[in-house]
Amino acid sequence: MERLEQLLNPPQLEAVKHTEGPLLILAGAGSGKTRVLTFRIAYLIREKNVAPFNILAITFTNKAAGEMRERVDRLLEGRGAGVWVSTFHSACVRILRRYIDLIGYDTNFTIYDADDQKTVMKQVIKKLELDPKAFREKMLIGAVSSAKNEMISAEDFRADAGGDYRLEKIADAYAEYERVLKHNNALDFDDLLLKTVELFRKCPEVLASYQERFRYILVDEYQDTNRVQFVFVNLLARKYRNLCVVGDDDQSIYKFRGADIRNILDFEKHFPDAKVIKLEQNYRSTGTILDAANSVIANNRDRKAKRLWTDKGRGAQVTWRIFDTAYEEAEYIAGDILKEIARGGSLNDFAVLYRTNAQSRLIEEKLIFAGVPYQIVGGVNFYSRKEIKDMLAYLKIIESGDDDLSVRRIINVPKRGIGDSTIAKVQGFADMTGGHFLSVLEDPAAVPGIERARKKLEGFRDMIRDLRKDRTETTGIADILDRVIEVTGYIEDLKMEETEEADGRIANIEELRSKAVSFDELYEMADSLGEEVEGTGDRLRDFLEEVALVSDLDDLREDNSRVVLMTIHSAKGLEFPHVYLAGMEDGIFPGYRAVAGTDPGEIEEERRLCYVGMTRAKNRLTMTAAKTRMQNGQMQFNPVSRFVYEVADGLMEGYLPRQRYGADDDYDGYDDYGRDRYSDGGFGSRGFSGGSYGGYASGGSYGGSRSAGSYGGSSSAQRKSARPKPAYDLDAMKGANLVSADDEGPGYAPGDRVVHKKFGEGTVKEIKEGARDFEVTVDFDSAGVRKMFAAFAKLEKI
DNA sequence: GCCGCCAGTATTTTT
DNA sequence: TACTGGCGGC
């Protein structure tokens, strides 16, 4: 493996080759950590003859896991198939599905998301008659979640309350919340980790088997691990101690979710024999961008000393612009992107990053106006949209009836005349008898006081019965979904609304259906190849599980030519040639909470976030701010972000108002320091002033992609339709050279004869370009007409 | 049981 | 601004 020397720099190589014992890799932004991790796995298998089966690689996101999987597969040409590359949560789910019965749960548990947690907590507040003002569900969920992250049980919590009324009430809520989850055979996200650790502790033989299996463990983004995750990893690694963690303390940005930066800072305390390797050469950004980011992060006190460097050259200065209003800021960004494209830039070179999702609106608006195709990542997760959750609730009920929450969710959706009071009575009866909501419906007459609704309840019960019966006749998720839509009249109902919002919902359901279709394809493919599908083997259950553990971020499409908009949090781990950091204002970034708060740690976390944002940029970084902006419906006057002032001299181009001094407690916009602190200094909003859109003259040549029709409706419709996927006129863009037209086809065209492993020979009828892949319609000689995705179907032209 | 109106509230969120 | 939750009228 001599070529390793050519492919890796010395510290990277050392990290790859140091396979035995604990290893901490401090990997600065853009220093090639994924490269190190994947090469390390390949090295273990190829050079050290470690069985793939004995390796566990853990990431935080499905996207990262997918990427690592792919790269490992490529490096090992398929020999790495046995490696577990997985997120913390999916690794835990896999373990729990096998063994959770040992700690008193059913192995077909359902997973509750944030929305479900909210529903449960609301119910808890009602039941315990807590004052909803003093005990907000958000706060309670947060308290329970932190407790779980710290592995504090409800009993411990109560014991620790020490007679404090408020804490005791929270303990009550925690206990009741747990009771409801248990009754519904459900686990929340935190439970997935917690119960796995509990399982390991209570069943040493189970732990031992996994310890034996996972002799080599790799953990990515270690700085973002919380207490339970730390314990989980440490339990697994305790026997062989071949634990390799990779992270960057400067990129720890999830403290608010329980991430404990000490896990990485104290790694050497936990493992005194740990080898520490620093990766400080950055392969991503220009020297200027790197220096700018370094000078900002240098203001944090609690961090490991390191200094990223690059040999990429200085590159362009960081651009800094300040505007009178947030409108003008957004206009500038849209206009600047147009200008760059006119100079030959491509759409996916650009990313607009911001602190809060709310900031995306304006930018989105201006991009639409400028005719710039964009994709918003994040915001409301696809799978948490009402209509999607409704559909999934039906599927869940068909799969198992234990989840009262799902039943209650859709028992009156679409409207069936079953109201809150009836639902409350049925649930009350279920609670009293210790049964489940759905089982009570077997004999609704037994529930006192619901005579009028009895017929309706029976109708619902029968409908579910029928759906379940249908399910036994088909294994296809898409088929089941079709039945649900048909029987419930869900889409019919939406159609009658005749609103754009309803149309958006219908489109979302259709998208869910296409996801189901591709899931079916995957299953059938594996089936026909005689391969095992990862999972329980029950297709519906696997589908629900996958859907429970994915986010929109996983859908970020690299193949598509669009400007991406997202929060800085979502951008972690990504890189773009040109990054815009918008809203660089104290009160926005750092957020008002951190500014107003007394905890300097909060500002430090924001600063790390700023560091993450800046280091996403490869060649160009633009930071912008607005003097005024609407925030929560009110006009706000925010000072320039302190982080902008922290950028070292000589790296940034653009007028920066003179540094302000000291605390600014009665800040009102201008008066303390006089207007000059905000003067434009001869650039900035001038070209885009007065709220006119004249600034887009330069974009005129792209008018072809600007027509309203190409966006499929108003911007509000687009938001409602909710997928972060604005429709745009691809052809018009190709005409305007905004998009390269060299997309590769699947290697066959309509009319061609093809062969499929399972269905035999057939004729291609249609090829549609889908979200990720080509959707091919084939008329098979024996199996009839089938739609499938090219990547899965692996059709061969004959 | 349903619908519409008013008041209160407002980060980030890989899973 | 924009969403949610609670409450009162039909």
Side-chain angles (χ1 to χ4, degrees), chain A residues 113 257 659:
Chain A
D113 66 11
R257 284 205 78 245
Q659 174 93 50

Side-chain angles (χ1 to χ4, degrees), chain A residues 108-253:
Chain A
N108 70 356
F109 60 85
T110 52
I111 300 166
Y112 277 2
D113 66 11
D115 201 63
D116 302 322
Q117 287 182 290
K118 221 169 131 185
T119 310
V120 173
M121 200 52 93
K122 252 184 241 164
Q123 189 186 317
V124 168
I125 291 169
K126 265 220 182 88
K127 171 142 189 209
L128 299 183
E129 296 177 327
L130 297 174
D131 174 6
K133 283 213 169 63
F135 297 93
R136 292 178 195 286
E137 81 230 12
K138 243 184 150 177
M139 171 251 132
L140 289 172
I141 290 170
V144 169
S145 179
S146 323
K148 286 185 176 182
N149 286 167
E150 298 291 317
M151 303 195 301
I152 299 166
S153 69
E155 297 80 59
D156 296 345
F157 199 104
R158 162 162 292 281
D160 292 347
D164 180 294
Y165 172 80
R166 200 177 155 72
L167 289 177
E168 284 194 338
K169 287 294 169 195
I170 295 174
D172 290 346
Y174 185 2
E176 174 63 13
Y177 172 89
E178 285 294 278
R179 195 196 61 76
V180 174
L181 257 66
K182 182 87 197 271
H183 180 73
N184 289 334
N185 191 24
L187 300 185
D188 62 26
F189 285 131
D190 299 318
D191 283 336
L192 297 179
L193 266 301
L194 194 61
K195 298 296 170 193
T196 308
V197 166
E198 188 185 326
L199 169 72
F200 283 168
R201 287 191 166 156
K202 286 194 180 147
C203 309
E205 69 288 355
V206 173
L207 173 62
S209 76
Y210 282 107
Q211 282 176 333
E212 199 54 44
R213 168 159 188 181
F214 299 124
R215 298 183 188 188
Y216 293 86
I217 299 173
L218 301 87
V219 185
D220 194 9
E221 307 279 16
Y222 194 67
Q223 76 281 355
D224 287 330
T225 50
N226 61 32
R227 180 81 201 157
V228 213
Q229 288 161 340
F230 173 86
V231 172
F232 170 73
V233 166
N234 278 273
L235 282 172
L236 279 179
R238 187 172 288 168
K239 178 152 189 210
Y240 285 93
R241 305 187 87 247
N242 297 320
L243 172 63
C244 166
V245 305
V246 189
D248 180 1
D249 51 311
D250 288 334
Q251 293 188 66
S252 161
I253 54 172

Side-chain angles (χ1 to χ4, degrees), chain A residues 179-392:
Chain A
R179 195 196 61 76
V180 174
L181 257 66
K182 182 87 197 271
H183 180 73
N184 289 334
N185 191 24
L187 300 185
D188 62 26
F189 285 131
D190 299 318
D191 283 336
L192 297 179
L193 266 301
L194 194 61
K195 298 296 170 193
T196 308
V197 166
E198 188 185 326
L199 169 72
F200 283 168
R201 287 191 166 156
K202 286 194 180 147
C203 309
E205 69 288 355
V206 173
L207 173 62
S209 76
Y210 282 107
Q211 282 176 333
E212 199 54 44
R213 168 159 188 181
F214 299 124
R215 298 183 188 188
Y216 293 86
I217 299 173
L218 301 87
V219 185
D220 194 9
E221 307 279 16
Y222 194 67
Q223 76 281 355
D224 287 330
T225 50
N226 61 32
R227 180 81 201 157
V228 213
Q229 288 161 340
F230 173 86
V231 172
F232 170 73
V233 166
N234 278 273
L235 282 172
L236 279 179
R238 187 172 288 168
K239 178 152 189 210
Y240 285 93
R241 305 187 87 247
N242 297 320
L243 172 63
C244 166
V245 305
V246 189
D248 180 1
D249 51 311
D250 288 334
Q251 293 188 66
S252 161
I253 54 172
Y254 283 102
K255 191 172 162 211
F256 68 93
R257 284 205 78 245
D260 188 351
I261 196 169
R262 299 247 70 97
N263 285 162
I264 192 161
L265 292 176
D266 295 345
F267 188 80
E268 293 154 89
K269 272 189 211 151
H270 295 119
F271 298 93
D273 56 332
K275 169 93 186 163
V276 181
I277 295 173
K278 288 185 184 179
L279 304 181
E280 295 182 295
Q281 182 175 2
N282 172 297
Y283 293 94
R284 181 186 294 149
S285 310
T286 63
T288 304
I289 290 168
L290 212 52
D291 286 350
N294 278 334
S295 59
V296 171
I297 198 67
N299 291 282
N300 272 7
R301 289 200 287 117
D302 205 6
R303 57 188 289 258
K304 297 221 173 206
K306 71 180 89 66
R307 189 85 194 170
L308 279 187
W309 60 278
T310 178
D311 57 12
K312 256 187 95 172
R314 299 306 304 162
Q317 297 245 290
V318 174
T319 304
W320 158 251
R321 295 287 183 271
I322 181 166
F323 301 92
D324 288 331
T325 66
Y327 286 96
E328 290 159 36
E329 181 193 31
E331 278 174 357
Y332 168 79
I333 292 170
D336 198 56
I337 291 173
L338 275 180
K339 260 193 256 166
E340 295 282 325
I341 288 168
R343 281 191 211 131
S346 119
L347 286 165
N348 39 14
D349 287 348
F350 305 96
V352 184
L353 309 182
Y354 34 76
R355 178 66 239 267
T356 65
N357 281 122
Q359 290 168 256
S360 71
R361 295 233 145 162
L362 273 180
I363 298 162
E364 203 184 346
E365 232 169 70
K366 301 301 176 188
L367 286 175
I368 290 176
F369 191 80
V372 177
Y374 63 91
Q375 178 190 358
I376 292 190
V377 177
V380 187
N381 189 325
F382 179 71
Y383 292 104
S384 43
R385 297 178 200 292
K386 181 187 182 299
E387 60 278 16
I388 302 303
K389 289 217 70 172
D390 288 346
M391 286 297 122
L392 295 176

Side-chain angles (χ1 to χ4, degrees), chain A residues 564-577:
Chain A
V564 292
L565 275 58
M566 64 181 118
T567 62
I568 304 169
H569 281 93
S570 306
K572 200 179 73 169
L574 305 176
E575 59 177 33
F576 307 90

Side-chain angles (χ1 to χ4, degrees), chain A residues 8 104 175 322 402:
Chain A
L8 302 168
I322 181 166
D402 289 352

